[in-house]
Amino acid sequence: MTKKLFYELPHARSFSATLTEIIPGEGGCLGLVLDATAFYPEGGGQPSDTGRIQDYPVLAVKEAGGKVIHIVQGPVDAALLNQTVTGVVDWPRRFDHMQQHSGQHILSAAFHHALQAATIGFHLGTESSQIDLKIDGLTEDAAEQVERIANEMVFSNQPIAAKWIDPAQAAEYPLRKPPAKEMAIARLIYIPDFEYSFCCGTHATHTGEVGLIKIRHWERRRDAVRVDFVCGGRALRDYQGKNRLAARLSGKLSSSVDLLEAAVDQSLLKCELLTRELLRTKQALYKGVAAQLAAQAAWTEVGVRIVDHVLLGASPQDVALLAKELLQHPKTIVLLAGVNEGNTKAHLMFAATGDAAGVHMGRRLQQTLSQLGGKGGGSALSAQGGCTDTSKVAAALAQAKAEVMAELDGR
Ligand SMILES: [Zn+2]
């Protein structure tokens, strides 16, 4: 059994212990077992510590059969066996984990007290952490109320204590969650009159150490609500990042941060008006282009007009607008393509007016796109698709036109 210094002395950054075992592992890794350790092995949602033992970097820490195993990259000097070694924990990483984990207990307790919402899952991530709550939904007001309760607990700097108890004694405590039945002895983490939970993680000794607790956002997850949050150093970095973002946006919009929302609204409105104006201009432009193309179009012997045309520097919306205007002309089949600005994509649209039916546009488009290595499809009267090879689009449309004409005249 390894003596768990991380429970007795959660703030121990370095320690001395005897190296009792070197276990061979995979990929040149070795497991070092000491008679005591301040390295926390992963568990209870909290990732393991890293650091070094002597000069060997500790990559991960696991617990198996009562032994705490420190994974290092081999080889390790065998003369160290049964000697005293020094371990140094990566303290910024461990302290961050303590802030997030203790913060999670405080936040979960605040949800429990304010909304009777049980925490059914916890994940401590590298950027932020999440709890899953058994609750139907969460409003902004309720989330802010919970944040206030959690942060008042931080500001009042209450002790966070731990003790080992027999689960049979569980009824003596106002636990947030009932204990797992199989536990022989359980570690109770508690903040008097606020939080009582079984937990195997490392914790701050006072709530003040956790620092600010901030909910960032939440989303529905099946029958739960997943709340994303940050504590302490992460909350500070998050605030700094949001401040920088607000400053950048206010610079771009030439507005103070306080008036940013109004400036964004104004910008969006201007954008909407310009988009509408652009659409009206394009509609007028394509009406003219369509009239010209319809007048110049080739006619089949059965009296159907066929227009093939490639629009350059055009979007799929441009192609659809031109097709719509062309289809105002009776007895018309349109075989259109729009090639984008960078010549990297083409959007094809084949369509026919009801009185020009006879060739299935969907199937015809699929044949053309298969020559161009693209994909698409549609109905008998209208089909769309795209490809990335734009060099042969004009030739492919000309070929499609010849084949459509032959097919119609062959009837
Ligand atoms: Zn915990």
Side-chain angles (χ1 to χ4, degrees), residues 166-185:
D166 180 340
Q169 295 174 267
E172 295 170 21
Y173 301 94
L175 291 167
R176 253 197 305 122
K177 261 199 272 188
K181 289 208 171 56
E182 67 273 13
M183 279 198 287
I185 183 163

Side-chain angles (χ1 to χ4, degrees), residues 310-316 318-319 337-347 387-388 390 393:
V310 180
L311 280 172
L312 296 176
S315 66
D318 292 318
V319 177
V339 175
N340 70 349
E341 287 288 354
N343 259 351
T344 55
K345 264 191 248 175
H347 181 79
C387 64
T388 51
T390 58
V393 167

Side-chain angles (χ1 to χ4, degrees), residues 101 104-105 199 203:
H101 196 163
Q104 177 261 313
H105 278 251
C199 175
H203 286 278

